[in-house]
């Protein structure tokens, strides 16, 4: 069965897995869909391909649809988030000279303590830190701003955050254009393998439940093609459930490694999937359980409060009206469409559509359709949290 | 924003860059500069203060230019990705041809149109050439593998060239496969067994 073909854009990253698996493992076909997957050369190209209709759905950085709703960046068509494709999955790395300086100061590269690592990084910087991120509107940039500002280094005012496309991150650090980076896997591991840097921290050490990539569509498409968008949500949800099985991992790495997709050795991709990262060219290993999450703890659920959190961060940096931004961000994350699409499936969905962001010190049971849904630990490293009901 | 329009073309390939510059010159009197080096692209562009930046959509460095769209300091020139709301289709045509244009905010579409028209035509040609090149390469590789498979059949079965080719073609038809795929399978299998 071929069914309806939907052109879908993606960037060659580990967290494009739910879309690739949906197509390759037949979950799209079960819904009568063929995902015509198109690899994009850059995030701005992918956003434009989506805005101008070259693709109908896209693997997208979670802040991009929110930024578009707030009129920031290359203004385009309004976008809607149908589901969250992945939670966490970024790494922060430093150049070889900076890694040496950190070691000389006695930093242990324990790879879990965001406060210790951040203080060490700020202390080791000889001059104004230059940090590479893949895109101005990205969870990478948001995590860095949050982390450094909380540690007393106001960002972006007192650091240079520079845009470096992920495949060029290793080159930029080797050339000495940046001192550190925050990037999605496998690109951090590739910088390590090429001997140009060391990994300092997984993104989840800063925020343990950060919505990283989303499934984005044009809002008018979501309205006109309610049937198709529902089928797409279900196909991706089943793909994420398959991804959550440990026995799927080896095949996932092989699928993603193909030249049509990431075109990178399966072994390097496997590191993100297992959470067993090589953090230095010398081969030091660190284990990060649930380094990237596709499914567990309702990972795919597009919480209205996630959209609000992102909007609030963008608004406070750009001087936009905060309460208006909060509402606009919430509207972008379409928990209503997600709920409607998964109503008749085995998916257990939370009763609420917004939550406190960063307020779960440990996994917690919440009210759901079957009453058994467990939300995982969701914590900012400094213990603050975001209440979407609060007035700003 | 009066006088001669200044344009920066971001293109690493020298021949392509020259061709783009030539087509732009035919379209009007512009001040054109080429940047080949992606290093510190944003700073280079900021230093030169162009009215328009043209970049291949396939170029991953394009994301760097998004930073320019955010520049807000008093010394910075606001730059926006060109999204024409007045003439529906021009930016879609640009994206389909594989080009992105960044322009200083507020520039009138009639000043930009000749630039984009010329660039779009040139980029369409590049795209055709890219496809043709890929197709030719594929055809050549397929012929090479078919020749190799043919040679192996001739040697193994002691038949002539025509007969070996016919056998290959018949097998492909019987299995409903392309001849190049059958030939590739044979070559791979032979490699494993030898």
């Amino acid at each position: 069965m071929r069914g309806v073909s939907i052109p879908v854009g993606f960037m060659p990253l580990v967290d494009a897995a739910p879309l690739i698996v949906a197509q390759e493992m037949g979950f799209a076909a079960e819904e009568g869909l063929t995902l015509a997957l198109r690899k994009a050369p850059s995030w701005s190209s992918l956003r434009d391909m989506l805005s101008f209709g070259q693709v109908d759905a896209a693997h997208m950085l979670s802040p991009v649809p929110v930024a578009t709703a707030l009129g920031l960046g290359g203004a385009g068509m309004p976008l809607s988030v149908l589901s969250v494709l992945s939670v966490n999955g970024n790494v922060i790395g430093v150049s070889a000279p900076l890694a040496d300086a950190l070691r000389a100061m006695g930093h242990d590269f324990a790879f879990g303590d965001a406060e210790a690592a951040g203080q060490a990084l700020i202390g080791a910087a000889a001059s104004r830190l230059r940090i590479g991120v893949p895109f101005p509107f990205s969870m990478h940039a948001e995590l860095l701003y949050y982390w450094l500002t909380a540690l007393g280094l106001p960002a972006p005012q007192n650091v240079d955050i520079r845009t470096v496309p992920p495949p060029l991150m290793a080159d930029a650090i080797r050339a000495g254009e940046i001192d550190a980076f925050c990037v999605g896997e496998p690109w951090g591991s590739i910088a390590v393998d090429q001997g140009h840097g060391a990994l300092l921290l997984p993104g989840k050490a800063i925020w343990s439940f950060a919505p990283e990539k989303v499934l984005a569509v044009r809002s008018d498409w979501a309205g006109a093609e309610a049937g198709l968008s529902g089928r797409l949500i279900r196909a991706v949800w089943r793909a994420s459930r398959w991804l959550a099985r440990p026995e799927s991992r080896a095949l996932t790495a092989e699928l993603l490694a193909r030249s049509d997709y990431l075109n990178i050795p399966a072994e390097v991709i496997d590191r993100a999937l297992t959470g067993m990262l090589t953090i230095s060219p010398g081969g030091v290993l660190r284990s990060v359980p649930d380094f990237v999450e596709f499914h567990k703890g309702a990972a795919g659920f597009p919480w209205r409060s996630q959209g609000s959190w992102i909007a609030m961060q963008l608004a406070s940096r750009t001087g936009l009206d905060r309460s208006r931004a909060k509402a606009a961000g919430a509207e972008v994350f379409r928990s209503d469409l997600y709920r409607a699409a998964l109503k008749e499936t085995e998916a257990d969905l939370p009763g609420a559509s917004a939550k406190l962001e960063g307020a779960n010190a440990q996994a917690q049971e919440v009210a759901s359709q079957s009453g058994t849904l467990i939300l995982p630990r969701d914590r900012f490293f400094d213990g603050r949290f975001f209440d979407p009901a609060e007035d700003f | 924003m009066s006088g001669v329009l200044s344009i920066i073309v971001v293109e690493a390939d020298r021949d392509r860059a020259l061709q783009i510059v030539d087509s732009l010159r035919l379209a009007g009197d512009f001040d054109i500069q080429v940047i080949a080096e992606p290093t510190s692209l944003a700073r280079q562009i900021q230093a030169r203060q162009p009215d328009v930046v043209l970049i291949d959509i396939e170029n991953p460095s394009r994301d760097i230019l998004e930073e320019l769209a955010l520049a807000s300091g008093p010394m910075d020139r606001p730059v926006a990705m060109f999204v024409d709301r007045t003439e529906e289709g021009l930016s879609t045509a640009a994206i389909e041809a594989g080009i992105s244009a960044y322009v200083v905010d507020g520039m009138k579409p009639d000043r930009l149109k000749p630039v984009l028209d010329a660039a779009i035509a040139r980029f369409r040609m590049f795209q055709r050439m890219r496809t043709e090149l890929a197709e030719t390469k594929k055809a050549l590789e397929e012929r090479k593998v078919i020749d190799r498979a043919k040679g192996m059949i001739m040697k193994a079965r002691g038949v002539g060239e025509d007969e070996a080719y016919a056998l290959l073609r018949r097998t492909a038809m019987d299995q409903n496969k392309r001849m190049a795929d059958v030939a590739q399978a044979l070559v791979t299998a032979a490699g494993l067994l030898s």
Side-chain angles (χ1 to χ4, degrees):
Chain A
M1 183 168 64
R2 294 225 123 212
V4 186
S5 180
I6 302 182
V8 181
F10 72 98
M11 284 290 282
L13 289 162
V14 170
D15 51 29
L19 292 169
I20 293 168
V21 164
Q23 173 57 25
E24 292 288 341
M25 299 307 294
F27 298 111
E30 271 178 37
E31 289 289 337
L33 299 177
T34 300
L35 307 187
L37 291 165
R38 283 182 58 183
K39 180 150 69 175
S42 66
W43 287 113
S44 40
S45 294
L46 184 49
R47 180 202 56 206
D48 296 344
M49 280 159 71
L50 184 59
S51 288
F52 290 98
Q54 265 85 30
V55 295
D56 287 331
H59 169 224
M60 190 54 71
L61 297 156
S62 55
V64 168
V66 178
T68 304
L70 301 182
L72 296 169
M77 302 286 285
L79 303 177
S80 288
V81 170
L82 294 186
S83 70
V84 173
L85 289 177
S86 62
V87 167
N88 303 324
N90 293 325
V91 289
I92 291 165
V94 293
S95 68
L98 193 50
D100 289 342
L102 282 164
R103 261 181 230 109
M105 285 172 47
H107 182 62
D108 57 1
F109 283 83
F111 212 59
D113 187 339
E115 181 159 0
Q119 299 290 14
L121 177 68
I122 293 168
S127 52
R128 194 178 162 92
L129 272 174
R130 300 162 302 165
I131 310 181
V133 296
F135 202 62
F137 302 111
S138 58
M139 189 50 70
H140 315 74
E142 296 309 329
L143 292 177
L144 284 175
Y145 295 145
Y146 187 94
W147 180 45
L148 296 174
T149 304
L151 291 175
L153 180 68
Q157 300 89 329
N158 291 10
V159 285
D160 280 348
I161 303 286
R162 295 192 182 164
T163 306
V164 180
L168 305 183
M169 207 62 92
D171 287 345
I173 204 135
R174 187 199 53 216
E177 288 166 32
I178 48 174
D179 309 304
F181 57 77
C182 182
V183 73
E185 279 291 276
W187 300 104
S189 289
I190 284 175
V192 170
D193 278 12
Q194 294 181 356
H196 306 319
L199 302 185
L200 183 64
L201 213 59
K204 71 176 291 188
I206 297 171
W207 182 10
S208 58
F209 200 79
E212 172 56 37
K213 302 294 176 351
V214 295
L215 175 62
V217 298
R218 289 181 302 283
S219 299
D220 63 356
W221 189 87
E225 302 284 358
L228 279 185
S229 67
R231 284 150 77 182
L232 192 57
I233 290 169
R234 283 191 293 276
V236 168
W237 179 77
R238 292 203 176 93
S240 78
R241 187 173 56 170
W242 182 88
L243 276 164
R245 308 181 323 163
E247 60 268 35
S248 302
R249 213 185 56 220
L251 181 52
T252 303
E254 293 295 331
L255 276 177
L256 296 184
R258 288 185 189 170
S259 61
D260 290 346
Y261 301 129
L262 272 61
N263 198 19
I264 275 168
E267 183 273 321
V268 181
I269 294 168
D270 202 47
R271 295 182 202 176
L273 298 175
T274 55
M276 187 57 85
L277 297 168
T278 305
I279 65 159
S280 74
V284 176
L285 292 177
R286 290 284 184 266
S287 170
V288 184
D290 305 324
F291 172 77
V292 56
E293 184 55 61
F294 300 110
H295 185 71
K296 256 192 319 195
F301 191 83
W303 294 91
R304 300 280 186 189
S305 43
Q306 292 173 331
S308 288
W309 183 85
I310 293 167
M312 292 294 284
Q313 301 299 113
L314 293 173
S316 50
R317 238 182 5 260
T318 50
L320 295 173
D321 182 89
R322 285 153 59 97
S323 68
R324 211 175 304 155
K326 191 179 75 175
E331 285 199 3
V332 172
F333 277 56
R334 300 296 301 270
S335 44
D336 55 332
L337 298 182
Y338 190 80
R339 252 180 225 295
L342 293 176
K343 201 168 52 191
E344 305 294 324
T345 69
E346 317 86 287
D348 194 16
L349 301 177
S353 295
K355 60 183 169 74
L356 299 177
E357 296 292 333
N360 270 5
Q362 58 261 319
Q364 199 181 15
E365 205 166 302
V366 296
S368 75
Q369 287 161 359
S370 72
T372 59
L373 183 63
I374 292 178
L375 293 185
R377 181 181 145 85
D378 173 10
R379 196 90 170 132
F380 290 102
F381 81 99
D382 61 351
R384 281 190 296 168
F385 62 89
F386 168 69
D387 180 355
E390 210 173 293
D391 280 331
F392 291 91
Chain B
M1 235 195 308
S2 58
V4 177
L5 210 60
S6 63
I7 303 173
I8 282 186
V9 176
V10 183
E11 175 59 61
D13 182 309
R14 215 180 108 79
D15 283 345
R16 280 177 58 126
L18 286 175
Q19 289 186 48
I20 299 165
V21 171
D22 284 349
S23 347
L24 290 175
R25 289 219 190 289
L26 287 177
D29 185 18
F30 306 117
D31 169 21
I32 307 165
Q33 299 179 67
V34 175
I35 297 183
E37 195 44 47
T39 329
S40 58
L41 188 59
R43 260 168 298 147
Q44 285 193 63
I45 288 174
Q46 251 159 349
R48 299 186 198 188
Q49 304 261 310
D51 299 309
V52 182
V53 181
L54 298 174
I55 184 167
D56 190 332
I57 217 163
E58 293 292 324
N59 190 335
S61 299
R62 204 199 129 184
D63 277 349
I64 296 170
L65 298 184
E66 288 288 315
E67 272 179 14
L68 299 176
L70 300 173
S72 56
M75 299 301 287
D76 300 332
R77 306 185 88 186
V79 176
M81 182 195 157
F82 176 62
V83 184
D84 64 326
R85 298 178 187 285
T86 46
E87 286 172 83
E88 191 64 38
L90 194 50
S91 44
T92 308
I95 281 170
E96 272 165 5
I99 184 174
S100 300
Y102 287 78
V103 303
V104 171
D105 243 358
M107 184 187 287
K108 293 217 166 61
D110 58 329
R111 293 199 73 198
L112 192 64
K113 194 170 181 329
V115 178
L116 273 184
D117 281 344
I120 286 170
R122 183 54 60 179
F123 271 74
R124 283 226 173 94
M125 208 189 77
F126 288 150
Q127 217 171 41
R128 267 201 306 279
M129 281 166 58
R130 214 180 271 171
T131 318
E132 274 170 23
L133 192 68
E135 287 299 319
T136 315
K137 227 170 107 187
K138 199 168 131 202
L140 273 176
E141 269 164 20
E142 289 188 344
R143 212 177 70 193
K144 252 180 11 209
V145 75
I146 290 172
D147 280 347
R148 254 187 95 186
K150 206 168 61 181
M152 290 163 118
I153 297 171
M154 286 162 68
K155 223 168 116 192
R157 302 178 66 130
V159 297
E161 194 175 340
D162 289 348
E163 202 174 324
Y165 188 78
L167 185 63
L168 207 52
R169 195 172 51 191
R170 207 166 49 238
T171 311
M173 280 170 70
D174 286 350
Q175 299 194 1
N176 198 17
K177 280 184 178 146
R178 294 170 63 244
M179 218 160 102
D181 294 339
V182 174
Q184 184 62 57
L186 180 64
V187 171
T188 309
L192 286 173
L193 294 173
S194 63

